[in-house]
Amino acid sequence: FLKACNSIVNLIVILALLLSGAYAVYALWDNNQVLAAAEDVQKDLLNLKPQVTPDGDPVETGPTFAELLAINPDVCGWVTMDNTHIDHPILYGDNNLEYINKDVYGNFALAGSIYLDSRNDRNFTDSYNLLYGHHMADSRMFGDLDLYKDEAFFRENRTGLLILPDRTFELEVISCMLVGAADDYIFDPTIARDDIQGLLDYAE
């Protein structure tokens, strides 16, 4: 009887190990699929990135916002941070969950999109505009924000570009902050509408 019980226990342990191994293999495969899908979408979209001159004027022969808007009218801008892989169109949904797991083509994607807080004006007329994006491995989406935690990188790479349909802004990184998700000063853009200096002081 004990021998039979030991055999059953051994069989259960072996099955559990096999299932665990199978799940681990699936998890790795699934993670690679998510990363690959995000990379494929970004490569496609980079071909449609609106081109501007050093003065910020549109390049007449390059891709235009009209092409992006034809794909999705929710595209409201394009953000690029120099010397990183952050180089993405910005979406604007009806709420802050619409593009959390949806790509620019409207397809389900765990990587989601880079998107502007729905409480902001989609034309970037607010004093403080809040962008969201998944923190992903291998420099996908906003994964390269980690680079700014290195002081040397931060000091040497503080520029970027925000391209809008009608104008272009040069970006300057002034702070790298690790804050809790409940920090309203950072995650509620309506607070800074009347107190942008207070937000700047807080970041400093």
Side-chain angles (χ1 to χ4, degrees):
F1 174 77
L2 289 177
K3 187 175 182 180
C5 288
N6 285 336
S7 298
I8 292 172
V9 170
N10 288 338
L11 180 60
I12 292 173
V13 170
I14 290 171
L15 287 175
L17 290 172
L18 288 174
L19 287 173
S20 298
Y23 179 77
V25 170
Y26 169 77
L28 288 171
W29 174 84
D30 186 59
N31 187 57
N32 286 333
Q33 292 296 105
V34 170
L35 294 175
E39 184 175 12
D40 290 344
V41 169
Q42 186 182 20
K43 283 181 179 178
D44 289 343
L45 291 173
L46 283 174
N47 293 324
L48 297 174
K49 178 182 177 180
Q51 301 299 306
V52 295
T53 67
D55 296 326
D57 299 319
V59 176
E60 294 182 6
T61 57
T64 66
F65 259 97
E67 296 174 68
L68 282 173
L69 292 171
I71 294 173
N72 189 333
D74 286 342
V75 174
C76 63
W78 192 290
V79 61
T80 300
M81 297 308 299
D82 295 333
N83 298 317
T84 74
H85 291 89
I86 299 173
D87 201 7
H88 301 280
I90 303 168
L91 281 294
Y92 185 77
D94 292 332
N95 57 68
N96 284 338
L97 295 178
E98 183 169 354
Y99 283 100
I100 194 169
N101 288 132
K102 187 164 69 172
D103 66 24
V104 69
Y105 299 105
N107 300 319
F108 174 77
L110 286 175
S113 298
I114 305 301
Y115 59 93
L116 178 66
D117 193 295
S118 61
R119 294 166 291 184
N120 282 124
D121 185 288
R122 68 168 287 148
N123 296 311
F124 286 84
T125 57
D126 294 322
S127 299
Y128 177 51
N129 300 279
L130 179 60
L131 298 183
Y132 295 97
H134 285 305
H135 177 272
M136 298 182 67
D138 297 333
S139 300
R140 307 297 198 278
M141 305 311 287
F142 270 171
D144 268 0
L145 289 179
D146 278 346
L147 296 173
Y148 294 98
K149 292 192 292 185
D150 178 78
E151 186 175 356
F153 182 90
F154 177 88
R155 293 188 181 282
E156 297 172 10
N157 300 277
R158 301 178 64 174
T159 57
L161 206 61
L162 174 65
I163 306 171
L164 303 180
D166 59 346
R167 61 201 190 284
T168 301
F169 291 101
E170 293 183 358
L171 302 177
E172 178 186 2
V173 181
I174 63 168
S175 179
C176 173
M177 303 172 64
L178 191 63
V179 300
D183 189 332
D184 285 340
Y185 228 142
I186 299 299
F187 292 110
D188 184 354
T190 63
I191 291 178
R193 283 177 183 160
D194 300 320
D195 187 23
I196 188 63
Q197 188 57 51
L199 176 63
L200 293 175
D201 292 342
Y202 180 68
E204 184 178 355

